[in-house]
Amino acid sequence: MTTPQHSIFAQGTVAHHFLEFDLRRVEPSRAVAAVAQLRSPAVSAGGVNLVIAFGATFWRETAPDHAPASLRPFSAVVGPDGRSAPATQHDLWLWVSGSAPDVVFEHARAAAKLLGDVAVLSAEQPGFVHRDSRDLTGFIDGTANPQMLEAPQVALVPPGQPGENGSHVIAMRWVHNLDAFEALPVADQERVFGRTKVDSQELEGDAKPPTAHIARVEVHDDAGEELPIYRRSVPYGTVAEHGLYFVAFSADPARYDLMLARMFGTSTDGVHDRLTDFTRPVSGSYYFAPSLTRLAELA
Ligand code: HEM
């Protein structure tokens, strides 16, 4: 019996901080001991949620019996017209979330300090909840997300498999061109996503173009069953540069590959997602968030 990292599913958090690290050349056991300390009160107490996830190489070396066969680093996706999603894989990913930016910042800093001897901070991004969970384009993000009762089934590796109750993470920073998007009439903006702007109603029939975002990312297996993911993205940024820090959790990383192929025009129909005309990813990594039980064993 293993327990997942509950913070994956934490609700009501408006402040977020994502950190990516690369390990220094140290004994893996030292790195593991340092990561294990992250569950200490200095980092994870005081009202914040913490999710810890590892890159494929480190996790496979550290816990080979608990690494899913499908675990691998993120590969760049390059579409036929040159639009692309770059790979910027690192070794370790932390997600700190909470009710206010001050506590989240303090805990993110404490985590980085604890890891300082074994890992270099390579990228970080604070994020925030925008109005009623809207992307900066003004569209509600999360409408079709699995509800709380289904989310664990969608996000976690099933019992009995290597890595059980762990989760495959995708993290990508997207930079929006809001001026270009806002220049579209609202009806055209709605066709970009395939949903209405005010209340996120799905456009029906021919009203939803095949290039609409939700038409591209709804993917199925060979038997026609939908392959869902559990999304936890948040907006971020400054006036000069802003967008979406896209984060999702899944029982199987192949779902991300299918969705990205359909967004960037590398799937068989060659169509790209209209959304990629208005936003572009500048980072992309896959991680594995093992169960709390495995993390405790590492400690
Ligand atoms: C800047 C990038 C992105 C933005 C602004 C964005 C925004 C949105 C919005 C507004 C929706 C509709 C409401 C909802 O159901 O949540 C949506 C749906 C969705 N998005 Fe994205 N998204 C982005 C990137 C991605 C990526 C990279 C993936 C997958 C790898 C993805 C997967 C999904 C899925 C699975 C849905 C639900 C589709 C459905 O079944 O209706 N999105 N997104």
Side-chain angles (χ1 to χ4, degrees):
M1 181 65 187
T2 50
T3 305
Q5 295 194 48
H6 309 287
S7 299
I8 294 171
F9 309 103
Q11 296 298 308
T13 50
V14 296
H16 298 259
H17 206 115
F18 304 94
L19 305 111
E20 290 178 282
F21 296 86
D22 285 302
L23 294 174
R24 298 181 193 276
R25 287 177 185 277
V26 293
E27 278 294 302
S29 59
R30 257 189 76 198
V32 165
V35 173
Q37 286 183 74
L38 291 176
R39 308 247 30 120
S40 73
V43 177
S44 55
V48 297
N49 304 292
L50 174 68
V51 177
I52 302 173
F54 302 94
T57 310
F58 180 69
W59 185 246
R60 204 160 261 127
E61 270 172 21
T62 308
D65 295 343
H66 303 297
S70 55
L71 179 62
R72 56 167 181 77
F74 186 89
S75 303
V77 184
V78 183
D81 60 0
R83 74 187 67 212
S84 63
T88 56
Q89 185 69 52
H90 299 286
D91 293 327
L92 177 66
W93 178 83
L94 300 183
W95 170 27
V96 185
S97 66
S99 57
D102 54 356
V103 281
V104 167
F105 172 78
E106 282 170 14
H107 286 80
R109 193 165 165 256
K113 211 168 166 187
L114 267 179
L115 291 176
D117 287 346
V118 299
V120 180
L121 179 63
S122 306
E124 65 175 316
Q125 186 59 62
F128 57 91
V129 171
H130 173 227
R131 297 181 179 268
D132 46 343
S133 288
R134 287 175 191 265
D135 173 60
L136 296 178
T137 52
F139 281 75
I140 295 175
D141 192 8
T143 310
N145 229 6
Q147 296 301 303
M148 272 318 280
L149 278 179
E150 310 152 53
Q153 244 184 323
V154 167
L156 302 174
V157 173
Q161 295 187 14
E164 73 165 32
N165 277 329
S167 186
H168 293 272
V169 184
I170 182 174
M172 299 173 92
R173 186 166 75 85
W174 291 71
V175 178
H176 288 1
N177 182 347
L178 283 185
D179 290 343
F181 186 79
E182 288 163 355
L184 297 177
V186 169
D188 287 349
Q189 295 182 1
E190 292 180 334
R191 281 190 280 273
V192 170
F193 284 103
R195 285 191 179 272
T196 57
K197 190 166 186 178
V198 172
D199 53 2
S200 201
Q201 293 298 310
E202 187 166 349
L203 304 183
E204 296 299 336
D206 291 347
K208 183 171 74 180
T211 54
H213 178 55
I214 65 167
R216 298 311 295 165
V217 292
E218 218 188 286
V219 297
H220 300 91
D221 66 13
D222 294 341
E225 283 292 310
E226 194 175 337
L227 295 169
I229 60 174
Y230 180 56
R231 288 168 290 135
R232 298 304 315 263
S233 316
V234 283
Y236 73 87
T238 58
V239 169
E241 186 172 281
H242 39 252
L244 188 74
Y245 193 93
F246 181 82
V247 177
F249 295 86
S250 171
D252 181 359
R255 297 174 193 178
Y256 305 137
D257 298 336
L258 284 173
M259 290 176 189
L260 290 172
R262 286 178 55 82
M263 288 182 78
F264 286 88
T266 59
S267 59
T268 45
D269 62 8
V271 175
H272 73 257
D273 187 326
R274 178 83 168 109
L275 181 57
T276 61
D277 292 336
F278 303 98
T279 185
R280 64 191 169 89
V282 294
S283 75
S285 303
Y286 283 163
Y287 295 99
F288 184 66
S291 66
L292 271 185
T293 315
R294 294 292 166 244
L295 281 176
E297 280 170 9
L298 286 186

